[in-house]
Amino acid sequence: MTFTQRLRKVQHKTQSLLCVGLDTDPALLPRGLSGMPDGVVSFNRAIIDATRDLVCAYKLNLAFYEAMGEYGWHAMRETLAYIGEGVLTIGDGKRGDIGNTADQYASALFDDLRFDAVTLNPYMGRDSVEPFLAYPGRGVFLLALTSNPGSKDFQRLKVGSKRLYERVVHAAAGWNMKKNIGLVVGATHPRELKHVRSLAPSMPLLIPGVGKQGGDLRSAIRYGCDAEGGLAVINVGRSVLYASQEANFAEAAREEAAMLRNEIEVYRKQFFS
Amino acid sequence: MTFTQRLRKVQHKTQSLLCVGLDTDPALLPRGLSGMPDGVVSFNRAIIDATRDLVCAYKLNLAFYEAMGEYGWHAMRETLAYIGEGVLTIGDGKRGDIGNTADQYASALFDDLRFDAVTLNPYMGRDSVEPFLAYPGRGVFLLALTSNPGSKDFQRLKVGSKRLYERVVHAAAGWNMKKNIGLVVGATHPRELKHVRSLAPSMPLLIPGVGKQGGDLRSAIRYGCDAEGGLAVINVGRSVLYASQEANFAEAAREEAAMLRNEIEVYRKQFFS
């Protein structure tokens, strides 16, 4: 099964396009877990228990784990083991390096940590992406138009009649022989999201930027989904993780995640049925 | 002291522009260290002992260490501690992420691992770079034109009258208020290296691609150095690390490094005195 097919299947089974970003900051752990030896893992487990039936995927941003050194690597491994099968895991590291080095990153993320998908930065071109594409059933989300202010600095530059991020979309579509490439497009750019979906009608789109960053969920669903109302992965991090910093943090996270998932379902019915 | 000043000082003191890339692959360790519990650290220590007086910097590509999981993090830490002061350390991770995540990467690389400099990918723009620029005395090398074949896919695209990598050079020069930004330009592109040096006459240039990748050392020095014959950091990895896979690997590495360093000095004298 291709990664695209896997994603479609998981979204169908879970009836959810929601992805919770487990970007756990030890400095923001709720009272009771803060400062505990395995606090980050305990926190992640509680969030996973509270949201597992509401999501199609969990995304771990590697920066947060690397900032914890060796323990971070352990915490990532424990968290991934706890997630187990049934939903997808995305290793958000935005890596990109020359061929023989990309082999090492692919090995770290796919062989060792066993993520189902990763995010990659396209700047170094095709040979920086290819080693990841060789893994059957695994997926790659290439950065196209990111959710941050700096996305204007290079991604929107005009290259002939196209913008740079459009060139990335075209290149990605050309490299997608195994149907295992998706794109990252921020919800903060609804018009461009619509445009990318028109250029890549059947590629998975990972859509960050809803919530704290100001992206609109309704537009993300309307413009980010494929014709069947799927293949958009809506990532939400801080607003779920830190819905409460009290003892009820897990219930609060569940409430927030359920609210977002249900809102997504309302828009899916509105636009795709 | 700015990072640029630090680099100049170290290159003056060591009389070397050579950087050895400690991209240690456990599968390529010499007989005797292969399969040993702390084989990678022992190997790195032996290479460092053998080359310390010949280099201005060591560069660790994070991919190789991440592929070893928790042990890799430990190995990186031990290696950096062993390098100590006197030469610079470069964490080659090519990171790039939105502001609050870039904070975490900066913390991992500068606070925890304590690299003197890092490599960053410019695709996500200014806010993905800024957190790193806040560290006094530390440096950032932004990818401009990389040494690999995929550098043609996006980096060379025409943006108006300029190429994308030239736009990166211009942007980097504009962000360089604290004189702590350098650029990565592959030795495999001598003409463009000359051009980048003309656009950025006093920025450090990290130059990979000499050796196995086919870049020419003479051109790298001629075109990569500033007017005083410095601020180019010539990275060489595999040809030093794996000069021999026998028991004499450290002496062989020293020989290769000494040869390269001396060749660099010949070209510096030829072009800059």
Side-chain angles (χ1 to χ4, degrees), chain B residues 18-37:
Chain B
L18 185 66
C19 173
V20 167
L22 295 168
D23 305 339
T24 307
D25 184 340
L28 298 178
L29 289 180
R31 269 183 280 283
L33 288 176
S34 154
M36 293 288 286

Side-chain angles (χ1 to χ4, degrees), chain A:
Chain A
M1 207 183 324
T2 67
F3 175 73
T4 305
Q5 289 169 326
R6 283 183 71 194
L7 176 61
R8 212 185 277 285
K9 194 172 156 188
V10 169
Q11 290 191 329
H12 184 76
K13 200 192 66 188
T14 60
Q15 284 295 301
S16 177
L17 308 187
L18 186 65
C19 173
V20 167
L22 294 169
D23 306 339
T24 308
D25 183 341
L28 298 178
L29 290 180
R31 270 183 278 284
L33 288 177
S34 153
M36 295 287 288
D38 222 8
V40 169
V41 173
S42 304
F43 176 79
N44 285 354
R45 285 186 179 150
I47 296 286
I48 293 162
D49 284 339
T51 57
R52 190 195 292 273
D53 59 323
L54 300 172
V55 305
C56 65
Y58 290 102
K59 179 169 85 61
L60 278 68
N61 190 309
L62 272 65
F64 288 81
Y65 295 88
E66 290 179 15
M68 304 175 219
E70 288 85 341
Y71 172 72
W73 225 253
H74 159 81
M76 222 170 0
R77 214 182 282 286
E78 292 290 312
T79 301
L80 288 167
Y82 198 73
I83 294 170
E85 310 288 316
V87 300
L88 298 178
T89 56
I90 303 170
D92 186 7
K94 302 182 175 69
R95 302 300 196 243
D97 211 314
I98 66 173
N100 81 310
T101 306
D103 285 344
Q104 299 287 330
Y105 278 130
S107 171
L109 294 162
F110 282 160
D111 291 327
D112 182 10
L113 293 172
R114 308 197 59 76
F115 280 109
D116 294 303
V118 297
T119 59
L120 296 182
N121 187 311
Y123 190 71
M124 290 185 67
R126 184 170 189 155
D127 60 305
S128 68
V129 175
E130 264 175 347
F132 294 87
L133 302 181
Y135 285 76
R138 311 294 179 95
V140 159
F141 288 96
L142 271 185
L143 302 184
L145 188 60
T146 55
S147 58
N148 62 321
S151 62
K152 72 175 186 319
D153 292 334
F154 303 112
Q155 299 167 21
R156 281 179 181 278
L157 290 178
K158 258 307 195 28
V159 180
S161 63
K162 308 275 179 208
R163 306 270 172 191
L164 177 60
Y165 78 88
E166 296 175 79
R167 295 294 297 247
V168 172
V169 174
H170 282 290
W175 302 340
N176 194 20
M177 313 307 287
K178 295 184 178 160
K179 305 300 173 206
N180 53 359
I181 307 186
L183 299 159
V184 177
V185 183
T188 47
H189 313 289
R191 202 161 28 146
E192 292 79 2
L193 179 60
K194 183 178 178 183
H195 179 53
V196 170
R197 179 46 86 197
S198 75
L199 295 173
S202 55
M203 282 169 84
L205 298 185
L206 174 59
I207 305 176
V210 166
K212 286 259 193 293
Q213 293 183 59
D216 172 48
L217 184 57
R218 186 170 181 274
S219 311
I221 299 303
R222 181 172 192 178
Y223 301 136
C225 286
D226 73 343
E228 298 169 40
L231 290 192
V233 178
I234 308 294
N235 185 71
V236 179
R238 289 168 274 180
S239 66
V240 168
L241 290 194
Y242 309 123
S244 159
Q245 286 193 286
E246 307 300 323
N248 71 340
F249 73 94
E251 299 99 274
R254 178 172 180 80
E255 257 176 56
E256 177 72 14
M259 192 267 289
L260 288 163
R261 188 265 196 125
N262 295 340
E263 205 179 328
I264 290 170
E265 291 310 298
V266 168
Y267 297 136
R268 283 174 86 188
K269 285 202 181 66
Q270 185 179 341
F271 298 119
F272 300 97
S273 64

